[in-house]
Amino acid sequence: MSKYDLSQDLKRITSTTMADIVELRLREYLKKKSFKPGDPLPKELELAEALGVSRNVVREALSRLRMLGMIESKKKRGMILARPDILGAFERVLDPLIIDKDTLQDIFELRLVLEIGLADLLYIRKTDKDIEELEHIAKNEVRTESSFRIKNEIAFHGKLYEISGNDTLKRFQNMLLPIFGYVVASEKEFRSGKVTHSDLVEILKKGNKEDFRQGMLEHLKPHFDKLEKTETTDTLTD
Amino acid sequence: MSKYDLSQDLKRITSTTMADIVELRLREYLKKKSFKPGDPLPKELELAEALGVSRNVVREALSRLRMLGMIESKKKRGMILARPDILGAFERVLDPLIIDKDTLQDIFELRLVLEIGLADLLYIRKTDKDIEELEHIAKNEVRTESSFRIKNEIAFHGKLYEISGNDTLKRFQNMLLPIFGYVVASEKEFRSGKVTHSDLVEILKKGNKEDFRQGMLEHLKPHFDKLEKTETTDTLTD
DNA sequence: TTTGTAAATATGTTCTACATAACTAATTAT
DNA sequence: ATAATTAGTTATGTAGAACATATTTACAAA
């Protein structure tokens, strides 16, 4: 490491293009005018003229907003403000092959945090039908070969998120799946704690929140152990 | 309602534009060729020719990737694959004024889940200095007027995320702040559980993970109670 | 009232042209 | 010969015009 962390102090020169500015302006405009979903936006040419740029630039900016789901546009009717899909933007960048190692680790930790913290929602919203389905998944799992275990792992934990009744959370988890798969696949062997899925279902049926959290903690323990281990041998990466 | 629910059976026609396709193709291309950060990309004209579209369309797609931080481009040197900032894309859409009510609620729940699940990371990574800082924040808070309490609330919980040692998580929380603030502001009065910030620090010093989780649960209890309450009166929104 | 047709219009797409910044090479000066 | 200056090349950034296409609107016909 050099004496001064230059990349920290000197913030990178970002050649701001017109498209960047227009994107920002449009976002401000939408907010300021407090557009609601369904409201029509000005036409491209009007925007271009008002902003003093070419229609091309406006289109680049609009293309970005459209990608984020903030606007929709139809051939003649013009553009309307849509209700943006928060996670939609996220999904596009979430590719384990591109994300750097540190962030990958961060996200994996995030999963552990989520699953432990999930207990409260589960106990508020679980139904008998949910328990049945969980039981079914857990039962199925015992007699399957090891190659399918990851699939079952996903099914079980996915169902938990579903029970949480939080759509955003569920989608978030679904989005992170490829990353979890990637991290797990990079481990030598499939790790599983002493508490099995069947055990967790049993707790969900008869035990309370704290029991479940304790069980989940035990179930995920190998991962946490790995964390504590890497913690001590941690060095300055990058 | 008509005899048949058309909008359910006939899935909406989504007019996929060239820019959408090109964006997808480029993403596939980057993945397939396993580009690494810093690697140069083909020129715009080459891409346009290879894909059989105009340079404009390619530019729209590139503009999107550039916004997501996946690529950087300089005047002559061409474009290079950058290490994408996962959360960068997220920040742009996260505006409490645009997000619909249900999602807002989802995100607020997400916060509760995170703070409860955080305990494990905290006990792995906390240092004496961290505790000191937390103590300082908590102590400061007692003698400030109510108008500053939200600010202190943010400072304290923010510090917790910081202690987690998970940069992504920390940034995530920082990103969600305006939303939390929005939700809290919409409540009639500022709710706080029986366990104060000072209590939490005390637990962090002397207690174990489970104690802390229990304490946090109690601290956030008003929010959870509100959840359980809205749960029973929940009707079909939308 | 319903159906079919024509005009109008805003987005989608292409093409051309030029500006600009940055790299390369050639030229000049010391 | 080396350094400095200059000119040329190149890829992105921006502008503008033109046409294609889908969809609304209006009007006409059955």
Side-chain angles (χ1 to χ4, degrees):
Chain A
M1 216 202 303
S2 65
K3 195 170 180 182
Y4 304 101
D5 190 352
L6 284 175
S7 63
Q8 186 95 26
D9 296 338
L10 280 69
K11 59 184 164 193
R12 195 185 203 89
I13 293 177
T14 50
S15 67
T16 314
T17 74
M18 283 296 161
D20 293 324
I21 300 173
V22 171
E23 184 207 333
L24 194 68
R25 287 284 165 76
L26 286 178
R27 190 173 272 117
E28 287 172 356
Y29 173 73
L30 293 180
K31 198 189 294 188
K32 201 159 208 164
K33 287 279 187 173
S34 63
F35 275 96
K36 284 176 291 183
D39 287 355
L41 269 63
K43 319 181 213 319
E44 291 180 344
L45 272 174
E46 289 174 1
L47 290 173
E49 200 173 356
L51 291 163
V53 295
S54 78
R55 191 173 153 230
N56 263 341
V57 171
V58 173
R59 278 189 62 79
E60 277 195 28
L62 288 173
S63 185
R64 297 178 178 188
L65 300 185
R66 197 159 37 237
M67 176 190 62
L68 296 177
M70 291 181 66
I71 63 174
E72 285 175 10
S73 46
K74 283 177 186 166
K75 265 294 168 65
K76 146 115 196 223
R77 220 188 141 105
M79 294 168 298
I80 58 169
L81 185 69
R83 91 175 10 173
D85 185 5
I86 317 199
L87 298 178
F90 221 28
E91 279 164 354
R92 301 179 186 249
V93 203
L94 230 54
D95 186 333
L97 295 174
I98 297 180
I99 298 174
D100 63 298
K101 204 165 133 280
D102 290 347
T103 307
L104 223 50
Q105 174 72 11
D106 280 356
I107 293 177
F108 189 65
E109 285 180 18
L110 175 57
R111 181 217 166 170
L112 301 184
V113 170
L114 286 176
E115 307 234 347
I116 296 291
L118 212 55
D120 299 274
L121 289 184
L122 292 182
Y123 273 83
I124 293 177
R125 305 206 169 124
K126 71 186 161 87
T127 68
D128 292 343
K129 187 160 166 288
D130 289 330
I131 305 287
E132 260 178 55
E133 285 185 46
L134 271 182
E135 218 158 18
H136 182 71
I137 296 172
K139 204 174 290 174
N140 231 356
E141 166 184 358
V142 182
R143 48 192 165 114
T144 44
E145 38 195 318
S146 65
S147 60
F148 283 93
R149 286 192 64 180
I150 291 186
K151 209 171 177 180
N152 276 303
E153 183 78 10
I154 290 174
F156 185 85
H157 289 268
K159 178 64 188 170
L160 286 181
Y161 284 88
E162 203 179 310
I163 296 175
S164 81
N166 189 316
D167 282 350
T168 305
L169 191 50
K170 168 64 180 157
R171 280 196 59 206
F172 193 61
Q173 181 256 356
N174 211 56
M175 232 167 68
L176 296 178
L177 275 183
I179 297 192
F180 299 153
Y182 183 80
V183 173
V184 169
S186 72
E187 293 181 358
K188 290 125 232 137
E189 52 184 289
F190 191 83
R191 295 146 173 273
S192 187
K194 276 179 284 184
V195 173
T196 68
H197 288 165
S198 293
D199 296 335
L200 286 175
V201 177
E202 218 44 43
I203 297 175
L204 209 51
K205 277 164 78 177
K206 298 173 187 168
N208 60 26
K209 279 190 291 190
E210 281 69 34
D211 296 331
F212 183 83
R213 189 137 43 215
Q214 206 58 36
M216 180 61 85
L217 200 56
E218 198 61 39
H219 178 66
L220 297 175
K221 193 161 191 302
H223 299 302
F224 273 104
D225 286 346
K226 199 186 163 205
L227 281 190
E228 295 196 62
K229 202 167 143 199
T230 53
E231 199 62 19
T232 54
T233 60
D234 211 2
T235 53
L236 299 173
T237 54
D238 183 330
Chain B
M1 217 202 298
S2 63
K3 195 171 179 182
Y4 305 101
D5 190 352
L6 284 175
S7 64
Q8 185 94 24
D9 296 338
L10 279 69
K11 59 185 164 193
R12 194 187 204 85
I13 292 176
T14 51
S15 69
T16 316
T17 75
M18 285 294 159
D20 293 325
I21 300 174
V22 171
E23 184 205 335
L24 194 67
R25 287 284 165 76
L26 286 178
R27 190 172 271 119
E28 287 172 356
Y29 174 74
L30 294 179
K31 197 190 295 187
K32 200 160 209 165
K33 287 278 189 176
S34 63
F35 275 96
K36 285 175 292 185
D39 288 354
L41 269 62
K43 320 181 212 319
E44 290 179 345
L45 273 174
E46 290 174 359
L47 290 174
E49 200 173 355
L51 291 164
V53 294
S54 79
R55 193 176 150 228
N56 261 354
V57 171
V58 173
R59 277 188 62 80
E60 277 195 27
L62 289 173
S63 184
R64 297 179 177 188
L65 300 185
R66 195 160 37 239
M67 176 190 61
L68 296 176
M70 291 182 67
I71 63 174
E72 286 175 8
S73 46
K74 282 175 184 165
K75 265 295 167 67
K76 145 115 196 219
R77 223 187 140 106
M79 295 169 296
I80 58 170
L81 186 69
R83 105 172 1 175
D85 185 4
I86 318 200
L87 299 178
F90 220 30
E91 280 163 353
R92 300 179 185 247
V93 203
L94 232 53
D95 187 333
L97 294 175
I98 297 181
I99 297 175
D100 63 297
K101 204 168 132 279
D102 290 346
T103 307
L104 223 51
Q105 176 72 9
D106 281 355
I107 293 177
F108 189 66
E109 284 179 20
L110 175 57
R111 181 214 167 173
L112 301 183
V113 170
L114 286 176
E115 306 233 349
I116 296 291
L118 213 57
D120 299 273
L121 289 182
L122 293 182
Y123 273 83
I124 293 177
R125 306 212 166 117
K126 70 187 162 84
T127 68
D128 292 343
K129 187 159 166 288
D130 290 329
I131 304 288
E132 261 177 55
E133 285 185 45
L134 270 183
E135 219 158 17
H136 182 71
I137 296 172
K139 203 173 290 174
N140 231 356
E141 165 184 0
V142 181
R143 48 194 165 114
T144 43
E145 39 195 315
S146 65
S147 59
F148 283 93
R149 286 191 65 180
I150 290 187
K151 210 171 178 179
N152 275 305
E153 182 77 10
I154 289 174
F156 185 84
H157 289 268
K159 178 63 188 172
L160 286 181
Y161 284 88
E162 202 179 310
I163 296 176
S164 79
N166 189 318
D167 282 350
T168 305
L169 192 50
K170 169 65 179 154
R171 280 196 58 207
F172 192 62
Q173 181 256 356
N174 211 56
M175 229 165 71
L176 295 179
L177 274 183
I179 296 193
F180 298 154
Y182 182 81
V183 173
V184 170
S186 71
E187 294 179 358
K188 289 125 234 135
E189 52 185 288
F190 192 82
R191 295 146 172 274
S192 188
K194 277 179 282 186
V195 174
T196 68
H197 288 165
S198 293
D199 295 335
L200 287 175
V201 178
E202 217 45 43
I203 297 175
L204 209 51
K205 276 165 78 175
K206 297 172 186 168
N208 59 26
K209 279 190 290 190
E210 281 69 35
D211 295 331
F212 183 82
R213 190 138 39 216
Q214 206 57 37
M216 180 60 85
L217 200 57
E218 198 62 39
H219 178 66
L220 298 175
K221 195 161 188 304
H223 299 301
F224 272 105
D225 286 345
K226 199 185 164 207
L227 281 190
E228 295 194 64
K229 200 168 145 200
T230 53
E231 197 64 18
T232 55
T233 61
D234 212 1
T235 54
L236 298 175
T237 53
D238 184 333

